[in-house]
Coordinates of all heavy atoms in Angstrom, one line a residue:
M4 N 54.6 73.5 203.5 CA 53.2 73.2 203.5 C 52.5 74.0 202.4 O 52.7 75.2 202.4 CB 52.6 73.4 204.8 CG 51.4 72.6 205.2 SD 51.7 70.9 205.1 CE 50.4 70.3 206.1
W5 N 51.7 73.4 201.6 CA 50.9 74.2 200.5 C 49.7 74.8 201.1 O 49.1 74.3 202.1 CB 50.5 73.2 199.4 CG 51.6 72.8 198.5 CD1 52.9 73.1 198.5 CD2 51.4 71.9 197.4 NE1 53.6 72.5 197.5 CE2 52.7 71.7 196.8 CE3 50.4 71.2 196.9 CZ2 52.9 70.9 195.7 CZ3 50.6 70.3 195.8 CH2 51.8 70.2 195.2
K6 N 49.2 75.8 200.5 CA 47.9 76.4 200.9 C 47.3 77.1 199.6 O 48.0 77.3 198.6 CB 48.1 77.4 202.0 CG 48.8 78.7 201.6 CD 48.9 79.7 202.7 CE 49.6 80.9 202.2 NZ 49.6 82.0 203.2
I7 N 46.0 77.4 199.7 CA 45.3 78.1 198.6 C 45.4 79.6 199.0 O 45.1 80.0 200.1 CB 43.8 77.7 198.5 CG1 43.7 76.2 198.1 CG2 43.1 78.6 197.5 CD1 44.3 75.9 196.8
D8 N 45.8 80.4 198.0 CA 46.1 81.8 198.2 C 45.6 82.6 197.0 O 45.5 82.0 195.9 CB 47.5 82.1 198.5 CG 47.8 83.3 199.3 OD1 46.8 84.0 199.7 OD2 49.0 83.7 199.4
N9 N 45.4 83.9 197.2 CA 45.0 84.8 196.0 C 43.8 84.2 195.2 O 43.9 84.1 194.0 CB 46.2 85.0 195.1 CG 47.3 85.6 195.8 OD1 47.1 86.4 196.7 ND2 48.5 85.3 195.5
F10 N 42.8 83.8 195.9 CA 41.6 83.3 195.2 C 41.0 84.3 194.3 O 40.8 85.5 194.7 CB 40.5 82.8 196.2 CG 39.4 82.1 195.5 CD1 39.6 80.8 195.0 CD2 38.2 82.7 195.3 CE1 38.5 80.1 194.4 CE2 37.1 82.1 194.7 CZ 37.3 80.8 194.2
N11 N 40.8 84.0 193.0 CA 40.3 84.9 192.0 C 38.9 84.4 191.6 O 38.8 83.5 190.9 CB 41.3 84.9 190.8 CG 40.9 85.9 189.7 OD1 39.7 86.2 189.6 ND2 41.8 86.5 189.1
V12 N 37.9 85.1 192.1 CA 36.5 84.7 191.9 C 36.2 84.7 190.4 O 35.5 83.8 189.8 CB 35.5 85.6 192.7 CG1 34.1 85.2 192.3 CG2 35.8 85.4 194.1
S13 N 36.6 85.7 189.6 CA 36.3 85.9 188.2 C 36.8 84.7 187.4 O 36.2 84.3 186.4 CB 36.8 87.2 187.7 OG 38.2 87.3 187.7
K14 N 38.0 84.2 187.8 CA 38.6 83.1 187.0 C 38.3 81.7 187.7 O 38.5 80.7 187.1 CB 40.1 83.3 186.9 CG 40.5 84.4 186.0 CD 42.0 84.5 185.8 CE 42.3 85.6 184.9 NZ 43.7 85.7 184.6
G15 N 37.7 81.8 188.9 CA 37.3 80.5 189.6 C 38.5 79.7 190.1 O 38.3 78.5 190.3
H16 N 39.6 80.3 190.4 CA 40.7 79.5 190.9 C 41.5 80.3 191.9 O 41.5 81.5 191.9 CB 41.6 79.0 189.8 CG 42.3 79.9 188.9 ND1 43.3 80.8 189.3 CD2 42.1 80.2 187.6 CE1 43.6 81.6 188.3 NE2 42.9 81.2 187.3
G17 N 42.2 79.6 192.8 CA 43.1 80.2 193.7 C 44.5 79.6 193.5 O 44.6 78.4 193.1
L18 N 45.5 80.3 193.7 CA 46.9 79.8 193.5 C 47.3 78.9 194.6 O 46.9 79.1 195.8 CB 47.8 81.0 193.3 CG 47.7 81.9 192.1 CD1 48.7 83.0 192.2 CD2 47.8 81.1 190.8
V19 N 48.1 77.9 194.3 CA 48.7 77.0 195.3 C 50.0 77.7 195.6 O 50.9 77.8 194.8 CB 48.9 75.6 194.8 CG1 49.6 74.7 195.8 CG2 47.5 75.0 194.4
T20 N 50.2 78.0 196.9 CA 51.4 78.6 197.4 C 52.0 77.9 198.6 O 51.3 77.0 199.1 CB 51.2 80.1 197.8 OG1 50.3 80.2 198.9 CG2 50.6 80.9 196.6
T21 N 53.1 78.3 199.1 CA 53.7 77.7 200.3 C 53.3 78.5 201.5 O 52.8 79.6 201.3 CB 55.2 77.6 200.2 OG1 55.7 78.9 200.0 CG2 55.6 76.7 199.1
G22 N 53.5 78.0 202.7 CA 53.2 78.8 203.9 C 52.0 78.4 204.6 O 51.5 79.1 205.5
G23 N 51.4 77.2 204.3 CA 50.2 76.7 204.9 C 50.5 76.3 206.4 O 51.6 76.0 206.7
G24 N 49.5 76.2 207.2 CA 49.6 75.7 208.6 C 49.8 74.2 208.7 O 49.2 73.5 207.9
V25 N 50.6 73.8 209.6 CA 50.9 72.4 209.8 C 50.0 71.8 210.9 O 49.8 72.4 211.9 CB 52.4 72.2 210.2 CG1 52.7 70.7 210.4 CG2 53.3 72.7 209.1
G26 N 49.4 70.6 210.6 CA 48.7 69.8 211.6 C 47.3 70.3 211.9 O 46.8 71.2 211.3
N27 N 46.6 69.5 212.7 CA 45.3 69.7 213.2 C 44.3 70.3 212.2 O 44.2 71.5 212.0 CB 45.3 70.7 214.4 CG 46.1 70.2 215.6 OD1 46.2 69.0 215.8 ND2 46.7 71.1 216.3
S28 N 43.6 69.4 211.6 CA 42.5 69.8 210.6 C 41.5 70.6 211.3 O 40.8 70.1 212.3 CB 41.9 68.5 210.0 OG 42.8 67.8 209.3
G29 N 41.3 71.8 210.9 CA 40.3 72.7 211.5 C 40.3 74.0 210.7 O 40.9 74.1 209.6
K30 N 39.5 74.9 211.1 CA 39.4 76.2 210.4 C 40.7 76.9 210.2 O 40.9 77.6 209.2 CB 38.4 77.1 211.1 CG 37.0 76.6 211.0 CD 36.0 77.6 211.7 CE 34.6 77.0 211.6 NZ 33.6 77.9 212.1
E31 N 41.6 76.7 211.1 CA 42.9 77.4 210.9 C 43.7 76.8 209.7 O 44.6 77.5 209.2 CB 43.8 77.2 212.2 CG 43.1 77.6 213.5 CD 42.1 76.6 214.0 OE1 42.3 75.4 213.9 OE2 41.1 77.1 214.6
T32 N 43.5 75.6 209.4 CA 44.2 75.0 208.3 C 43.4 74.7 207.0 O 43.8 73.9 206.2 CB 44.9 73.6 208.8 OG1 43.9 72.7 209.2 CG2 45.9 73.9 209.9
I33 N 42.2 75.3 206.9 CA 41.3 74.9 205.8 C 41.9 75.2 204.5 O 41.5 74.6 203.5 CB 39.9 75.7 206.0 CG1 38.8 75.0 205.3 CG2 40.1 77.1 205.6 CD1 37.5 75.5 205.7
G34 N 42.8 76.1 204.4 CA 43.4 76.4 203.1 C 44.4 75.4 202.6 O 44.9 75.5 201.5
N35 N 44.8 74.4 203.4 CA 45.8 73.4 202.9 C 45.3 72.0 203.1 O 46.1 71.1 203.5 CB 47.1 73.7 203.6 CG 47.1 73.7 205.1 OD1 46.2 74.4 205.7 ND2 48.0 73.1 205.8
W36 N 44.1 71.7 202.7 CA 43.5 70.4 202.7 C 43.6 69.8 201.3 O 42.7 69.8 200.5 CB 42.1 70.4 203.2 CG 41.9 70.7 204.6 CD1 42.9 71.0 205.5 CD2 40.7 70.8 205.4 NE1 42.4 71.3 206.7 CE2 41.1 71.2 206.7 CE3 39.4 70.7 205.0 CZ2 40.1 71.4 207.7 CZ3 38.5 70.9 206.0 CH2 38.8 71.2 207.3
F37 N 44.8 69.2 201.0 CA 45.0 68.6 199.7 C 45.1 67.1 199.8 O 45.5 66.5 200.9 CB 46.4 69.1 199.1 CG 46.4 70.5 198.8 CD1 46.9 71.4 199.7 CD2 46.0 71.0 197.6 CE1 46.9 72.8 199.5 CE2 46.0 72.4 197.3 CZ 46.5 73.2 198.3
N38 N 44.6 66.4 198.8 CA 44.7 64.9 198.7 C 45.3 64.5 197.4 O 45.1 65.1 196.4 CB 43.2 64.3 198.8 CG 42.6 64.6 200.1 OD1 43.1 64.4 201.1 ND2 41.4 65.2 200.0
I39 N 46.0 63.4 197.4 CA 46.5 62.7 196.2 C 45.4 61.6 195.9 O 45.1 60.8 196.8 CB 47.9 62.1 196.4 CG1 48.9 63.2 196.6 CG2 48.2 61.2 195.2 CD1 50.3 62.7 196.9
V40 N 44.9 61.7 194.7 CA 43.8 60.8 194.3 C 44.1 60.0 193.0 O 44.6 60.6 192.1 CB 42.5 61.7 194.0 CG1 41.3 60.8 193.7 CG2 42.2 62.5 195.2
K41 N 43.8 58.7 193.0 CA 43.9 58.0 191.7 C 43.0 58.6 190.7 O 41.9 59.1 191.0 CB 43.5 56.5 191.9 CG 44.6 55.7 192.5 CD 44.3 54.2 192.3 CE 45.6 53.5 192.8 NZ 45.5 52.1 192.4
Y42 N 43.5 58.6 189.4 CA 42.8 59.4 188.4 C 43.0 58.7 187.0 O 44.2 58.5 186.6 CB 43.2 60.8 188.3 CG 42.6 61.7 187.3 CD1 41.2 62.0 187.4 CD2 43.3 62.1 186.2 CE1 40.6 62.8 186.4 CE2 42.7 62.8 185.2 CZ 41.3 63.2 185.3 OH 40.7 64.0 184.4
D43 N 42.0 58.4 186.3 CA 42.1 58.0 184.9 C 43.1 56.9 184.6 O 44.1 57.1 183.9 CB 42.4 59.3 184.0 CG 42.2 59.0 182.5 OD1 41.3 58.2 182.2 OD2 43.0 59.6 181.7
G44 N 42.9 55.8 185.3 CA 43.8 54.6 185.0 C 44.4 54.2 186.3 O 44.4 54.9 187.3
A45 N 45.1 53.0 186.2 CA 45.7 52.4 187.4 C 46.9 53.1 187.9 O 47.2 53.0 189.1 CB 46.0 50.9 187.0
Y46 N 47.6 53.9 187.0 CA 48.9 54.5 187.4 C 48.9 56.0 187.5 O 49.9 56.6 187.8 CB 50.0 54.0 186.5 CG 50.1 52.5 186.5 CD1 49.7 51.7 185.4 CD2 50.6 51.8 187.6 CE1 49.8 50.3 185.4 CE2 50.8 50.4 187.6 CZ 50.4 49.7 186.5 OH 50.5 48.3 186.5
N47 N 47.8 56.6 187.1 CA 47.7 58.1 187.1 C 47.1 58.6 188.4 O 46.2 58.0 188.9 CB 46.9 58.5 185.9 CG 47.5 58.2 184.6 OD1 48.7 58.2 184.4 ND2 46.7 57.9 183.6
Y48 N 47.6 59.7 188.8 CA 47.1 60.4 190.0 C 46.9 61.9 189.7 O 47.4 62.4 188.7 CB 48.2 60.3 191.1 CG 48.3 58.9 191.6 CD1 49.2 58.0 191.0 CD2 47.6 58.4 192.7 CE1 49.3 56.6 191.5 CE2 47.7 57.1 193.2 CZ 48.5 56.2 192.5 OH 48.6 55.0 193.0
K49 N 46.2 62.5 190.6 CA 46.0 64.0 190.6 C 46.0 64.5 192.0 O 45.9 63.7 192.9 CB 44.7 64.4 189.8 CG 43.5 64.0 190.6 CD 42.2 64.4 189.9 CE 41.0 64.1 190.7 NZ 39.8 64.6 190.1
I50 N 46.1 65.8 192.1 CA 46.0 66.4 193.5 C 44.7 67.2 193.5 O 44.3 67.9 192.5 CB 47.2 67.4 193.7 CG1 48.5 66.6 193.7 CG2 47.0 68.1 195.1 CD1 49.7 67.5 193.8
A51 N 43.9 67.0 194.6 CA 42.6 67.6 194.7 C 42.7 68.4 196.0 O 43.3 68.1 197.0 CB 41.5 66.6 194.8
Y52 N 42.0 69.6 196.0 CA 41.8 70.4 197.2 C 40.4 70.1 197.7 O 39.4 70.3 196.9 CB 41.9 71.9 196.9 CG 41.5 72.8 198.0 CD1 42.3 72.9 199.1 CD2 40.4 73.5 197.9 CE1 42.0 73.7 200.2 CE2 40.0 74.4 199.0 CZ 40.8 74.5 200.1 OH 40.5 75.3 201.1
C53 N 40.2 69.5 198.8 CA 39.0 69.0 199.3 C 38.7 69.3 200.8 O 39.6 69.1 201.6 CB 39.0 67.4 199.2 SG 37.7 66.8 198.2
L54 N 37.5 69.8 201.1 CA 37.2 70.1 202.4 C 36.4 68.9 203.1 O 35.4 69.1 203.8 CB 36.3 71.4 202.5 CG 37.0 72.6 201.9 CD1 36.1 73.8 202.0 CD2 38.3 72.8 202.6
S55 N 36.8 67.7 202.8 CA 36.1 66.5 203.3 C 36.1 66.4 204.8 O 35.2 65.8 205.4 CB 36.7 65.3 202.7 OG 38.1 65.2 203.0
M56 N 37.0 67.1 205.5 CA 37.0 67.0 206.9 C 36.1 68.0 207.6 O 36.0 68.1 208.8 CB 38.5 67.3 207.4 CG 39.5 66.5 206.7 SD 40.2 65.0 207.5 CE 40.4 65.3 209.1
C57 N 35.4 68.8 206.7 CA 34.5 69.9 207.2 C 33.1 69.7 206.5 O 32.9 70.4 205.6 CB 35.1 71.2 206.9 SG 34.2 72.6 207.4
P58 N 32.3 68.8 207.1 CA 31.0 68.6 206.4 C 30.1 69.9 206.3 O 29.3 70.0 205.4 CB 30.3 67.6 207.3 CG 31.4 67.0 208.1 CD 32.5 68.0 208.2
S59 N 30.3 70.8 207.3 CA 29.4 72.0 207.2 C 29.9 73.0 206.2 O 29.2 74.0 206.0 CB 29.4 72.6 208.6 OG 30.7 73.0 209.0
C60 N 31.1 72.8 205.6 CA 31.7 73.8 204.7 C 30.9 73.8 203.4 O 31.0 74.8 202.6 CB 33.2 73.5 204.5 SG 34.1 73.8 206.0
K61 N 30.3 72.7 203.0 CA 29.6 72.6 201.7 C 30.4 73.1 200.6 O 30.0 74.0 199.8 CB 28.2 73.3 201.8 CG 27.3 72.7 202.8 CD 25.9 73.4 202.8 CE 24.9 72.8 203.6 NZ 25.0 72.4 204.9
H62 N 31.6 72.6 200.4 CA 32.5 73.0 199.3 C 32.9 71.8 198.5 O 33.2 70.7 199.0 CB 33.8 73.5 200.0 CG 34.8 74.1 199.1 ND1 35.4 73.4 198.1 CD2 35.2 75.4 198.9 CE1 36.2 74.2 197.4 NE2 36.1 75.4 197.9
E63 N 32.8 71.9 197.2 CA 33.1 70.8 196.3 C 34.6 70.6 196.3 O 35.4 71.6 196.4 CB 32.6 71.1 194.9 CG 31.1 71.1 194.8 CD 30.7 71.3 193.3 OE1 31.5 71.0 192.4 OE2 29.6 71.9 193.1
C64 N 35.0 69.4 196.0 CA 36.5 69.2 195.7 C 36.8 69.8 194.4 O 36.0 69.8 193.5 CB 36.8 67.7 195.6 SG 36.6 66.8 197.2
K65 N 38.0 70.4 194.3 CA 38.5 71.0 193.1 C 39.8 70.4 192.8 O 40.6 70.0 193.6 CB 38.7 72.5 193.3 CG 37.5 73.4 193.5 CD 36.7 73.6 192.2 CE 37.4 74.5 191.3 NZ 36.8 74.8 190.0
N66 N 40.1 70.3 191.4 CA 41.3 69.8 191.0 C 42.4 70.8 191.1 O 42.1 72.0 191.1 CB 41.2 69.4 189.5 CG 40.3 68.2 189.3 OD1 40.4 67.2 189.9 ND2 39.4 68.4 188.3
V67 N 43.7 70.4 191.2 CA 44.8 71.3 191.2 C 45.4 71.1 189.8 O 45.7 69.9 189.4 CB 45.8 71.0 192.3 CG1 47.1 71.8 192.1 CG2 45.2 71.3 193.6
G68 N 45.5 72.1 189.0 CA 46.1 72.0 187.7 C 47.0 73.2 187.4 O 47.3 74.0 188.3
M69 N 47.5 73.3 186.1 CA 48.4 74.3 185.7 C 47.6 75.5 185.1 O 46.7 75.2 184.3 CB 49.4 73.8 184.7 CG 50.3 72.7 185.2 SD 51.3 73.2 186.6 CE 52.5 74.2 185.7
V70 N 47.8 76.7 185.5 CA 47.2 77.9 184.9 C 48.3 78.9 184.6 O 49.4 78.9 185.2 CB 46.1 78.5 185.8 CG1 45.0 77.5 186.1 CG2 46.7 79.0 187.1
M71 N 48.0 79.9 183.8 CA 48.9 80.9 183.4 C 48.6 82.2 184.3 O 47.4 82.6 184.3 CB 48.8 81.2 182.0 CG 49.9 82.1 181.4 SD 51.3 81.1 180.9 CE 50.6 80.2 179.5
D72 N 49.6 82.7 185.0 CA 49.3 84.0 185.7 C 49.4 85.2 184.8 O 49.6 85.1 183.6 CB 50.2 84.1 186.9 CG 51.7 84.4 186.6 OD1 52.0 84.7 185.4 OD2 52.5 84.4 187.5
Q73 N 49.2 86.4 185.4 CA 49.1 87.6 184.6 C 50.5 88.0 184.0 O 50.5 88.7 183.0 CB 48.7 88.8 185.5 CG 49.6 89.1 186.6 CD 49.3 88.4 187.9 OE1 48.6 87.4 187.9 NE2 49.9 88.8 189.0
N74 N 51.6 87.3 184.4 CA 52.9 87.6 183.8 C 53.3 86.5 182.8 O 54.4 86.5 182.4 CB 53.9 87.7 184.9 CG 53.7 88.8 185.9 OD1 53.3 89.9 185.4 ND2 53.8 88.6 187.1
G75 N 52.4 85.5 182.6 CA 52.7 84.5 181.6 C 53.4 83.3 182.2 O 53.9 82.4 181.5
N76 N 53.5 83.2 183.6 CA 54.1 82.1 184.3 C 53.1 81.0 184.5 O 52.0 81.3 184.9 CB 54.7 82.6 185.6 CG 55.8 83.6 185.4 OD1 56.7 83.5 184.6 ND2 55.6 84.7 186.2
Q77 N 53.6 79.7 184.4 CA 52.7 78.6 184.7 C 52.7 78.4 186.3 O 53.8 78.4 186.8 CB 53.1 77.4 184.0 CG 52.7 77.4 182.6 CD 52.9 76.0 181.9 OE1 53.6 75.2 182.4 NE2 52.2 75.8 180.8
C78 N 51.5 78.3 186.8 CA 51.4 78.1 188.3 C 50.4 76.9 188.6 O 49.5 76.7 187.8 CB 50.8 79.4 188.9 SG 51.8 80.8 188.6
L79 N 50.6 76.3 189.8 CA 49.6 75.4 190.2 C 48.5 76.2 190.8 O 48.7 77.2 191.6 CB 50.2 74.5 191.3 CG 51.1 73.4 190.9 CD1 51.7 72.7 192.1 CD2 50.4 72.4 189.9
A80 N 47.2 75.8 190.5 CA 46.1 76.5 191.0 C 44.8 75.6 190.9 O 44.9 74.6 190.3 CB 45.8 77.8 190.1
L81 N 43.8 76.0 191.6 CA 42.5 75.3 191.5 C 42.1 75.4 190.0 O 42.1 76.5 189.4 CB 41.5 75.9 192.4 CG 41.8 75.8 193.9 CD1 40.6 76.4 194.7 CD2 42.1 74.4 194.4
S82 N 41.6 74.3 189.5 CA 41.4 74.2 188.0 C 40.4 73.2 187.7 O 40.2 72.2 188.5 CB 42.7 73.9 187.3 OG 42.5 73.7 186.0
D83 N 39.7 73.3 186.6 CA 38.8 72.3 186.1 C 39.5 71.1 185.5 O 39.1 70.0 185.4 CB 37.8 72.8 185.1 CG 36.8 73.8 185.8 OD1 36.4 73.6 186.9 OD2 36.3 74.7 185.1
V84 N 40.7 71.4 185.0 CA 41.6 70.4 184.4 C 42.7 70.0 185.3 O 43.6 70.8 185.6 CB 42.2 70.9 183.0 CG1 43.0 69.9 182.4 CG2 41.0 71.4 182.1
P85 N 42.8 68.7 185.8 CA 43.8 68.4 186.7 C 45.2 68.2 186.1 O 45.3 67.8 184.9 CB 43.3 67.0 187.3 CG 42.5 66.4 186.2 CD 41.9 67.6 185.5
F86 N 46.2 68.4 186.9 CA 47.6 68.1 186.5 C 47.8 66.6 186.9 O 47.7 66.3 188.0 CB 48.6 69.0 187.2 CG 50.0 68.6 186.9 CD1 50.5 68.9 185.7 CD2 50.8 68.0 187.9 CE1 51.9 68.6 185.4 CE2 52.1 67.7 187.6 CZ 52.6 68.0 186.4
Q87 N 48.0 65.8 185.9 CA 48.2 64.3 186.1 C 49.6 64.0 186.3 O 50.5 64.6 185.7 CB 47.6 63.5 184.9 CG 46.1 63.7 184.7 CD 45.7 62.9 183.5 OE1 45.9 61.7 183.4 NE2 45.0 63.6 182.6
F88 N 49.9 63.0 187.1 CA 51.3 62.5 187.3 C 51.3 61.1 187.7 O 50.2 60.5 188.0 CB 52.0 63.4 188.4 CG 51.3 63.3 189.7 CD1 51.7 62.4 190.7 CD2 50.3 64.2 190.0 CE1 51.1 62.4 191.9 CE2 49.7 64.2 191.3 CZ 50.1 63.3 192.2
R89 N 52.5 60.5 187.7 CA 52.6 59.1 188.1 C 53.8 59.0 189.1 O 54.7 59.8 189.0 CB 53.0 58.2 186.8 CG 51.9 58.0 185.9 CD 52.3 57.1 184.8 NE 51.1 56.9 183.9 CZ 51.1 56.1 182.9 NH1 52.2 55.4 182.6 NH2 50.0 55.9 182.2
F90 N 53.7 58.0 189.9 CA 54.8 57.6 190.8 C 55.6 56.5 190.2 O 55.0 55.6 189.6 CB 54.3 57.1 192.2 CG 53.6 58.2 193.0 CD1 52.2 58.3 193.1 CD2 54.4 59.2 193.6 CE1 51.7 59.3 193.9 CE2 53.8 60.2 194.3 CZ 52.4 60.3 194.5
F91 N 56.9 56.6 190.2 CA 57.8 55.5 189.7 C 58.7 55.1 190.8 O 59.1 55.9 191.6 CB 58.6 56.0 188.5 CG 57.8 56.3 187.3 CD1 57.3 57.6 187.0 CD2 57.5 55.3 186.4 CE1 56.6 57.8 185.9 CE2 56.7 55.5 185.3 CZ 56.3 56.8 185.0
K92 N 59.0 53.8 190.8 CA 59.9 53.2 191.7 C 61.3 53.7 191.4 O 61.8 53.7 190.2 CB 59.9 51.7 191.7 CG 60.3 51.0 192.9 CD 60.1 49.5 192.7 CE 59.8 48.9 194.0 NZ 59.7 47.4 193.9
A93 N 62.0 54.2 192.4 CA 63.4 54.8 192.1 C 64.4 53.7 192.1 O 64.3 52.6 192.6 CB 63.8 55.8 193.2

């Protein structure tokens, strides 16, 4: 299960890591509320981190995109630029 971890306020993103809580949408699992959303065309998708199940949270949806960490590695993280992908029939 994915979750948001190591939130960096100065850069405005948190890293997407493993180890999120499974099941039951609530405060215990708030760090792993991800959605697959259609984006920019009929066949393109993106992943968004959204607190839509928590109206009192007043948190905007954020895109999940690729960012460079302090060691030069590419990581999934909250980003203004989404990582786009497509599903293909196998």
Side-chain angles (χ1 to χ4, degrees):
M4 206 55 161
W5 288 357
K6 68 177 182 174
I7 298 298
D8 203 6
N9 299 327
F10 187 75
N11 186 327
V12 175
S13 65
K14 292 187 178 181
H16 58 71
L18 294 177
V19 177
T20 63
T21 58
V25 177
N27 299 331
S28 296
K30 289 184 181 181
E31 304 80 35
T32 60
I33 202 166
N35 52 313
W36 292 359
F37 296 93
N38 297 309
I39 295 175
V40 181
K41 278 193 173 191
Y42 178 73
D43 193 32
Y46 302 107
N47 294 327
Y48 292 86
K49 68 177 183 174
I50 298 173
Y52 172 70
C53 240
L54 301 181
S55 58
M56 311 260 320
C57 180
S59 64
C60 293
K61 294 184 173 50
H62 187 293
E63 292 181 27
C64 291
K65 291 285 288 182
N66 293 313
V67 173
M69 299 296 288
V70 298
M71 195 85 68
D72 72 6
Q73 64 271 14
N74 298 318
N76 301 309
Q77 287 192 335
C78 304
L79 286 175
L81 299 181
S82 171
D83 292 328
V84 180
F86 176 73
Q87 298 179 52
F88 60 93
R89 290 183 175 184
F90 291 107
F91 292 95
K92 206 175 211 182

